[in-house]
Amino acid sequence: MTIVCGTDFSDNAVLAARAAGAIAMRLAVPLTLVHVMDKREAAHRGGARHDAVDDSLRARLCAQAEELRARFGIDVEPLAVPGVADEQLVALAGSVAARLLVVAALGARPQQHGRLGSMAERVVQSSPMPVLVVRDGARFEAWARGAQPLRVLVGVELTTTAQRALRWASALRVIGPCDLLVTQVAWPPGEHLRLGLRAPMPLDHLLPDLEQVLRRDLEAWAGVLPGPGETSFLVQSGWGRVDAHLTQLAAEAQADLLVVGTHQRAGMARLWQGSVSRGVLHAAAMSVACVPRGDAVGDEQEIPTFQRVLVPTDFSPLANRAIPVAYGLVPRGGVVHLLHVVTRHPGADG
């Protein structure tokens, strides 16, 4: 197992590499420091020979690797490869079975025409392992050296993908103390209807009793989160984009890290269903960790859960046998709808 970190030698990339080095030091694993050389860019550098440009970049890469070795006392392998940065980083991380891929939130290069989204966003979209997008590397280094706990907000919904993200955030406590704020953004009308509350109901906030129920369910879903650091839970009512609420809550909590799961939807699915992780990457002022859902072959398959179940019945013994089965399918807080269709004959009154 290793940690892979991409670098383009910018100030932000240097700080991200130091964050990766500090984590590698505490986990006692090696670090692979990667620079992806874009041949198209080299070809436009004033007629400079490709091999001369490559030699210069390799020298800078080796110097950065040596700085990390001296700073953290870890094994650092510098690796320069040609290609497109996001594609090569993900491929390389997969080939060495990396446990974490680290990139800077901002790099030295401007947005490339014809390629949608930032390099970090494209890495998150395709990476099979968790990706740490670093904005403030100094805080990670201070945490890894034991100088301060890491303040982490974990945005969740009650799904297996979010459960993976929460477990990953909790596992950070192996490195050092982490104060976790487990946060669920709830849409008031939807939650009121889901739990069978009828009008009149508030549209801009949750009823106190409902908020208490949702918080209780969130704590039960999260389970025990061992390790040093405080754990707290927050159910926040919200309209509109969940990512906007999460980034605002993370800023208010002065979080060092915002952790979310990612479904890695592509094409029209991402446009239609949206992407919380993509919105968070664009808007967050702090570092972001994106944990994929893990659909690789041999990985644990998600067991479906049902929040609402409809049971039609004609009151016969056979039909009524389906009712307790339906109640057994929904978790606490779910809703079972019983339906009986009344047949009206032609000419009947009313």
Side-chain angles (χ1 to χ4, degrees):
M1 284 289 188
T2 184
I3 292 175
V4 171
C5 178
T7 181
D8 61 4
F9 312 117
S10 65
D11 292 341
N12 292 315
V14 169
L15 294 177
R18 289 176 180 173
I23 295 173
M25 174 187 68
R26 290 303 300 266
L27 293 177
V29 298
L31 173 67
T32 301
L33 185 66
V34 184
H35 175 72
V36 181
M37 299 180 295
D38 190 332
K39 295 295 186 181
R40 294 168 300 178
E41 181 182 358
H44 291 86
R45 287 190 175 185
R49 289 172 41 244
H50 290 180
D51 54 352
V53 172
D54 291 354
D55 289 343
S56 173
L57 291 175
R58 288 191 180 95
R60 295 182 68 183
L61 181 63
C62 289
Q64 187 175 0
E66 184 56 38
E67 189 268 341
L68 293 172
R69 291 191 195 100
R71 191 180 188 94
F72 300 108
I74 58 175
D75 182 17
V76 182
E77 179 187 5
L79 188 60
V81 296
V84 179
D86 55 290
E87 296 173 0
Q88 292 298 325
L89 284 173
V90 171
L92 178 63
S95 68
V96 298
R99 65 188 300 173
L100 178 65
L101 177 54
V102 181
V103 295
L106 300 173
R109 298 177 184 174
Q111 174 79 26
Q112 294 182 354
H113 294 294
R115 303 216 58 195
L116 298 179
S118 66
M119 191 276 290
E121 180 186 332
R122 294 192 297 271
V123 166
V124 166
Q125 178 65 21
S126 58
S127 174
M129 71 283 301
V131 179
L132 174 61
V133 182
V134 178
R135 287 189 181 273
D136 189 347
R139 292 193 181 187
F140 279 91
E141 185 174 352
W143 162 64
R145 293 188 182 278
Q148 63 185 35
L150 195 70
R151 298 185 296 271
V152 183
L153 186 143
V154 189
V156 303
E157 50 185 352
L158 307 192
T159 64
T160 301
T161 300
Q163 188 74 246
R164 290 178 185 274
L166 178 58
R167 297 304 167 194
W168 184 87
S170 177
L172 292 175
R173 288 172 167 173
V174 173
I175 300 172
C178 294
D179 295 334
L180 302 181
L181 177 58
V182 185
T183 304
Q184 179 185 7
V185 177
W187 183 47
E191 295 300 331
H192 286 113
L193 292 174
R194 182 175 71 86
L195 296 181
L197 301 179
R198 297 291 181 249
M201 65 181 73
L203 298 180
D204 59 343
H205 66 277
L206 299 168
L207 291 172
D209 290 345
L210 175 58
E211 184 175 344
Q212 184 177 0
V213 169
L214 294 178
R215 179 188 170 95
R216 180 197 64 199
D217 291 346
L218 177 61
E219 293 180 8
W221 171 85
V224 178
L225 302 174
E230 299 179 358
T231 300
S232 53
F233 297 87
L234 173 65
V235 175
Q236 176 69 40
S237 61
W239 282 73
R241 296 180 61 91
V242 173
D243 52 88
H245 289 287
L246 289 177
T247 53
Q248 180 180 347
L249 291 169
E252 293 173 353
Q254 296 183 322
D256 303 313
L257 176 65
L258 174 54
V259 178
V260 293
T262 174
H263 295 278
Q264 297 180 317
R265 300 185 180 103
M268 291 304 297
R270 183 168 63 173
L271 293 175
W272 180 256
Q273 296 175 275
S275 171
V276 171
S277 59
R278 183 170 183 256
V280 163
L281 285 172
H282 279 274
M286 66 290 300
S287 299
V288 174
C290 296
V291 182
R293 58 184 179 179
D295 282 346
V297 175
D299 202 2
E300 177 185 353
Q301 296 298 308
E302 181 172 348
I303 298 176
T305 59
F306 305 92
Q307 294 295 330
R308 300 183 182 87
V309 176
L310 175 66
V311 185
T313 179
D314 59 2
F315 305 121
S316 67
L318 184 60
N320 288 339
R321 288 178 61 184
I323 296 175
V325 175
Y327 276 95
L329 288 174
V330 297
R332 181 166 54 183
V335 178
V336 174
H337 297 275
L338 300 180
L339 172 66
H340 176 70
V341 178
V342 178
T343 303
R344 295 190 180 277
H345 298 286
D349 295 337

